[in-house]
Amino acid sequence: MRVLVTGASGLLGRAVVTEFKNAGHEVVGVAFSRAKGDLKKLDLEDSNAVQSFVDAENPDVIVHCAAERRPDVVEKDPNGAKNLNVQVPGLLADLTNDRGILLIYISTDYVFDGTSPPYDVRDKANPLNLYGQTKYDGEKEIKKFNPAAIILRVPILYGITEYNGESAVNSLIDSVKDGKAVSMDHYAIRYPTNVADVARVVKDLSIKVRQEKVFISGILHFSGEEKYTKYEICEVIARVLGTSIDHLTPNASAPKDGTTRPYDCHLSNRCLAGVGINTHCVKFSDWMQGWLSKSQ
């Protein structure tokens, strides 16, 4: 297969590129602000440039990873976020529908309000913040312009980072190490999911649809099953490092300020497993042990 990956310089995008390449597929990675190496620079908000690029590359699959994923940044620049998270998916859906290209759109568990987990693919979305709303609006654009596309919702991601701040999970390594006294969220439940596992799922879905000719479309969920608060993630990191987190104070109260975040958006893997996709996830503590032993 020939696969085009947007956001290929990012945490998930890099993992998707690596997964397809390792499986022997042709991969074209595109990025914008961090385009380097063999990545091609493309402004996804330039519709004419995107159309010309897609026609020139003629991919079998487009995996759309590019997005403004940081809720606080979305709140500060709502128009910019809407362009990237809503208008661009609509453009890609339209282009792929016309050309018979499989589109896999990466969405988020934040389309839900977190009040009644676990969430199945048919459960009603109710985003609590603008980030979740823009991603949900992006989903609606996908459905409108390409009903055959796949929408893959995933939760908080972690993995091999270029710097810890690329992931809200990996960034907690800094919180553990720097010794600064802070209050750490011990309220919201999260399900950290490794980008390598997400990339495998994306590749397996692509093979099923494009090579095995299995019809799969619409919304699917993929999530790790281990649940943690941010404070509990810090506990895992501290155990691996053999250090104390006495400087971190667990805060079990719902946040009263800042961007509203849902309590527990656990995504059910039921439908993904039902179409024959392996939903295995690496154990969080095992991965962190390996990662921290290499990066020390």
Side-chain angles (χ1 to χ4, degrees), residues 83-84 116 219:
N83 287 340
L84 187 55
S116 54
I219 298 168

Side-chain angles (χ1 to χ4, degrees), residues 214-226:
V214 177
F215 182 74
I216 301 171
S217 69
I219 298 168
L220 291 168
H221 290 172
F222 178 56
S223 173
E225 298 290 357
E226 298 177 279

Side-chain angles (χ1 to χ4, degrees), residues 39-115:
L39 298 182
K40 299 188 177 182
K41 188 167 186 174
L42 179 64
D43 181 357
L44 293 173
E45 295 179 26
D46 183 339
S47 58
N48 291 329
V50 172
Q51 180 173 333
S52 297
F53 189 87
V54 169
D55 286 338
E57 296 297 339
N58 193 28
D60 300 296
V61 181
I62 294 180
V63 183
H64 183 42
C65 299
E68 180 47 73
R69 61 173 182 79
R70 298 162 295 179
D72 295 337
V73 174
V74 172
E75 299 284 349
K76 291 174 184 173
D77 183 18
N79 290 332
K82 287 173 185 175
N83 287 340
L84 187 55
N85 290 358
V86 183
Q87 292 181 11
V88 170
L91 170 64
L92 291 175
D94 196 22
L95 290 174
T96 52
N97 186 60
D98 287 347
R99 291 156 179 78
I101 300 167
L102 170 63
L103 175 62
I104 299 180
Y105 168 68
I106 305 299
S107 191
T108 175
D109 58 345
Y110 270 33
V111 301
F112 295 113
D113 59 18
T115 60

Side-chain angles (χ1 to χ4, degrees), residues 169-273:
V169 176
N170 293 62
S171 65
L172 295 174
I173 296 169
D174 295 333
S175 299
V176 170
K177 283 182 170 183
D178 64 22
K180 293 178 184 176
V182 295
S183 173
M184 185 59 65
D185 182 22
H186 193 39
Y187 170 77
I189 305 297
R190 294 166 169 86
Y191 297 82
T193 303
N194 196 286
V195 289
D197 290 324
V198 178
R200 184 199 71 241
V201 165
V202 167
K203 179 204 67 183
D204 290 350
L205 282 167
S206 301
I207 289 172
K208 277 226 179 262
V209 174
R210 296 299 310 200
Q211 296 185 330
E212 298 176 8
K213 308 300 181 185
V214 177
F215 182 74
I216 301 171
S217 69
I219 298 168
L220 291 168
H221 290 172
F222 178 56
S223 173
E225 298 290 357
E226 298 177 279
K227 65 179 183 178
Y228 296 94
T229 64
K230 279 193 170 183
Y231 182 78
E232 288 168 339
I233 292 172
C234 290
E235 287 182 316
V236 172
I237 294 167
R239 281 197 296 270
V240 170
L241 294 174
T243 190
S244 168
I245 52 169
D246 288 346
H247 60 287
L248 301 179
T249 303
N251 183 357
S253 300
K256 293 181 174 61
D257 52 17
T259 302
T260 303
R261 286 168 166 81
Y263 170 65
D264 182 350
C265 286
H266 187 202
L267 300 173
S268 168
N269 291 329
R270 183 185 66 84
C271 286
L272 189 64

